[in-house]
Amino acid sequence: AQKVTQAQTEISVVEKEDVTLDCVYETRDTTYYLFWYKQPPSGELVFLIRRNSFDEQNEISGRYSWNFQKSTSSFNFTITASQVVDSAVYFCALVIIQGAQKLVFGQGTRLTINP
Amino acid sequence: ETGVTQSPTHLIKTRGQQVTLRCSSQSGHNTVSWYQQALGQGPQFIFQYYREEENGRGNFPPRFSGLQFPNYSSELNVNALELDDSALYLCASSDLAGGLKETQYFGPGTRLLVL
């Protein structure tokens, strides 16, 4: 069965600290895609990144970076020099095809950046 | 290019009533998916509509039903509301032709409270 686990329920750091959000996934598929979404207090899920199972290169986008390791089934997300505006709930998700294209989400990690 | 929109933003109903939530997909997208997000949880897949047909469903009872219109907008209907139906309902649009790699873009959600 496909499953996504985000073991960290809540993280609180002081502004400018680096923070890493963990994501572990389970799937029997050899081809799959993983996603990270951000959910600010307004509620809308904002797409951050998509990664396919064939590409294990780390990716950096500004202060954000992602570390995908197939050997450990992990897709971790790091924010460098965190800012108060980064405060949100972050979700990791795996897409599967069961008739429909379906996102399987983790439980989310609530990140609070304190000034 | 307009994003995904949902209406209403908030709704209060009483147990046993019926509710209709609406979603307009992003320009160029032919697929709409609905998710339910209970407080403190990750979103759960309800169903997906492609070309006006339901093409996949999650573990939700038949009192959750939907429609997709020729312009790709969609409705989610819930009959015989229960207290546990209180949640944030999120709509996402995508292009199913993209398959696994296609990103789902979410609307701002409708917060439903059942009393």
Side-chain angles (χ1 to χ4, degrees), chain B residues 60-106:
Chain B
F60 282 82
R63 61 189 185 83
F64 284 79
S65 63
L67 282 173
Q68 188 180 31
F69 300 100
N71 66 354
Y72 303 127
S73 66
S74 176
E75 287 183 354
L76 164 65
N77 299 292
V78 187
N79 293 321
L81 283 167
E82 300 177 0
L83 298 180
D84 284 348
D85 295 333
S86 295
L88 177 67
Y89 288 84
L90 293 161
C91 165
S93 79
S94 59
D95 180 357
L96 198 62
L100 273 180
K101 69 174 175 61
E102 190 62 29
T103 298
Q104 293 186 25
Y105 294 92
F106 285 82

Side-chain angles (χ1 to χ4, degrees), chain A residues 31-33 35 37 39-47 50 89 91 95-108 110, chain B residues 4 31 33 35 37 40-45 48 55-58 88 90 94-96 99-108 111:
Chain A
T31 301
Y32 50 89
Y33 281 78
F35 297 79
Y37 286 87
Q39 188 174 45
S42 61
E44 181 172 351
L45 280 170
V46 178
F47 165 70
R50 177 183 73 204
V89 181
F91 289 96
V95 69
I96 63 176
I97 300 288
Q98 289 180 340
Q101 173 206 47
K102 168 184 170 182
L103 283 169
V104 176
F105 286 88
Q107 292 287 84
R110 179 175 298 278
Chain B
V4 180
T31 303
S33 306
Y35 292 80
Q37 185 180 16
Q41 304 293 317
Q44 298 291 316
F45 176 77
Q48 184 176 81
N55 71 327
R57 188 178 187 92
L88 177 67
L90 293 161
S94 59
D95 180 357
L96 198 62
L100 273 180
K101 69 174 175 61
E102 190 62 29
T103 298
Q104 293 186 25
Y105 294 92
F106 285 82
R111 292 188 187 274

Side-chain angles (χ1 to χ4, degrees), chain B residues 46-58:
Chain B
I46 302 175
F47 45 53
Q48 184 176 81
Y49 277 82
Y50 172 63
R51 292 185 176 178
E52 304 176 54
E53 296 284 334
E54 183 185 296
N55 71 327
R57 188 178 187 92

Side-chain angles (χ1 to χ4, degrees), chain A:
Chain A
Q2 288 87 349
K3 185 180 177 183
V4 175
T5 302
Q6 294 179 255
Q8 303 150 308
T9 305
E10 293 193 35
I11 300 175
S12 181
V13 301
V14 176
E15 198 171 20
K16 296 184 185 176
E17 286 186 15
D18 298 347
V19 58
T20 295
L21 309 183
D22 297 333
C23 171
V24 174
Y25 62 92
E26 296 175 30
T27 180
R28 284 191 288 264
D29 294 338
T30 54
T31 301
Y32 50 89
Y33 281 78
L34 296 161
F35 297 79
W36 275 95
Y37 286 87
K38 173 182 179 179
Q39 188 174 45
S42 61
E44 181 172 351
L45 280 170
V46 178
F47 165 70
L48 295 177
I49 192 171
R50 177 183 73 204
R51 169 67 68 207
N52 72 56
S53 52
F54 297 125
D55 185 359
E56 291 197 64
Q57 286 186 344
N58 292 337
E59 179 154 344
I60 298 174
S61 175
R63 296 184 297 105
Y64 296 169
S65 63
W66 289 268
N67 184 357
F68 173 47
Q69 291 196 342
K70 215 167 172 179
S71 60
T72 55
S73 296
S74 66
F75 185 37
N76 297 335
F77 172 33
T78 297
I79 301 175
T80 303
S82 60
Q83 299 176 2
V84 173
V85 293
D86 295 326
S87 297
V89 181
Y90 290 84
F91 289 96
C92 181
L94 171 70
V95 69
I96 63 176
I97 300 288
Q98 289 180 340
Q101 173 206 47
K102 168 184 170 182
L103 283 169
V104 176
F105 286 88
Q107 292 287 84
T109 297
R110 179 175 298 278
L111 177 63
T112 302
I113 310 298
N114 298 299

